[in-house]
């Protein structure tokens, strides 16, 4: 993962460096192509997702349950991961389409605010798996080649870095709210957004 707050792939064949999830052979995803216009938005419960990832990470660290159960617990996180990642990008696109939409600005602000912590939580799972006595099995069966090499010595998401990324996200969201599409002014008897007034006199 990088320090930009983007969520790393939960599974893949290249240790997470390829930027996409690669379908493990053992799972039947039964997915279909969904048109963008047909996507149904649902705000993810970020705190619950982070808690779920943390619980599985603890189970991998403690190694008190069989390997197969640990692997199954990791696989069970996929739906939550996909939901967060999809809604994160979807809300960003919707906000970019209409910067005046309070709803989409608030939704993107909510999800992006949790992105650094969510990414850090995923990385902790990578590290736990890479440092586990089952590391080679995790690498072979799920995460892909590169897991051990990349995460055996730990990750990069310290508490300080997460805090800095959260501050950065807050500043970016505040800056986005200052878009000319959101600046309301009164000019020659019209009270409209700056963009609307400019467009009015451009026609």
């Amino acid at each position: 993962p990088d320090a930009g707050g983007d969520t790393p792939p939960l599974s893949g064949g290249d240790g997470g460096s390829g930027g996409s999830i690669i379908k493990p052979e053992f799972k039947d995803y039964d997915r279909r192509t969904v048109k963008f216009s047909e996507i149904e938005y649902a705000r993810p419960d970020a705190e619950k997702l982070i808690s779920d990832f943390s619980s599985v990470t603890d189970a991998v660290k403690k190694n008190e349950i069989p390997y197969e159960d640990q692997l199954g617990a990791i696989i069970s996180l996929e739906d939550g991961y996909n939901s967060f990642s999809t809604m994160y990008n979807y809300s960003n696109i919707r906000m970019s389409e209409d910067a005046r939409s309070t709803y989409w600005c608030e939704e993107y602000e909510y999800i992006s605010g949790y992105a650094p912590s969510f990414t850090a939580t995923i990385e902790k799972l990578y590290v736990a798996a890479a440092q586990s006595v089952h590391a080679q099995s995790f690498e072979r069966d799920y995460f892909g080649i590169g897991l051990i090499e990349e995460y055996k010595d730990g990750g990069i998401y310290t508490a300080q870095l997460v805090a800095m990324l959260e501050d950065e996200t807050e500043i970016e969201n505040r800056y986005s709210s200052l878009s000319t599409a959101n600046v309301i002014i009164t000019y020659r008897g019209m009270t409209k957004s700056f963009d609307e007034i400019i467009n009015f006199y451009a026609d």
Side-chain angles (χ1 to χ4, degrees):
D2 57 42
D6 295 333
T7 52
L10 183 55
S11 63
D14 55 4
S17 60
S20 63
I21 294 179
I22 298 175
K23 296 185 293 185
E25 294 179 357
F26 55 77
K27 180 168 182 176
D28 179 11
Y29 277 76
D30 192 26
R31 289 178 176 167
R32 64 184 179 87
T33 300
V34 178
K35 293 181 180 178
F36 182 80
S37 59
E38 295 177 352
I39 295 177
E40 295 183 4
Y41 177 78
R43 176 186 279 198
D45 187 340
E47 292 188 2
K48 182 179 185 304
L49 290 175
I50 290 173
S51 176
D52 290 345
F53 269 82
S54 296
S55 295
V56 173
T57 299
D58 287 343
V60 172
K61 285 182 176 180
K62 293 177 181 178
N63 193 34
E64 295 175 346
I65 59 177
Y67 165 74
E68 291 76 13
D69 292 340
Q70 294 179 40
L71 180 60
I74 293 173
I75 295 171
S76 72
L77 297 171
E78 288 180 353
D79 287 343
Y81 168 85
N82 289 330
S83 173
F84 186 94
S85 180
T86 299
M87 296 303 111
Y88 180 18
N89 288 290
Y90 183 76
S91 62
N92 186 19
I93 292 171
R94 286 302 195 189
M95 181 196 68
S96 299
E97 286 181 335
D98 184 4
R100 290 169 293 181
S101 171
T102 301
Y103 175 78
W104 287 118
C105 286
E106 289 179 350
E107 289 306 300
Y108 179 68
E109 182 177 349
Y110 165 80
I111 301 178
S112 63
Y114 278 102
S117 293
F118 187 60
T119 303
T121 303
I122 295 174
E123 185 189 62
K124 289 178 182 177
L125 176 59
Y126 270 82
V127 172
Q131 296 178 346
S132 166
V133 295
H134 304 297
Q136 291 184 342
S137 296
F138 280 130
E139 185 175 65
R140 179 195 66 227
D141 296 338
Y142 191 76
F143 291 100
I145 301 300
L147 170 75
I148 298 174
E149 180 63 27
E150 186 168 356
Y151 295 102
K152 61 183 174 63
D153 296 324
I156 65 171
Y157 281 87
T158 62
Q160 182 180 14
L161 177 57
V162 170
M164 291 174 63
L165 290 172
E166 289 174 342
D167 288 343
E168 179 185 37
T169 299
E170 181 180 356
I171 293 172
E172 288 177 347
N173 287 335
R174 197 183 314 156
Y175 177 79
S176 296
S177 70
L178 298 177
S179 163
T180 53
N182 292 325
V183 176
I184 306 300
I185 62 175
T186 298
Y187 180 75
R188 293 188 177 180
M190 293 186 296
T191 301
K192 297 180 178 294
S193 73
F194 180 82
D195 282 354
E196 287 174 328
I197 291 178
I198 292 297
N199 292 333
F200 176 82
Y201 283 104
D203 293 337

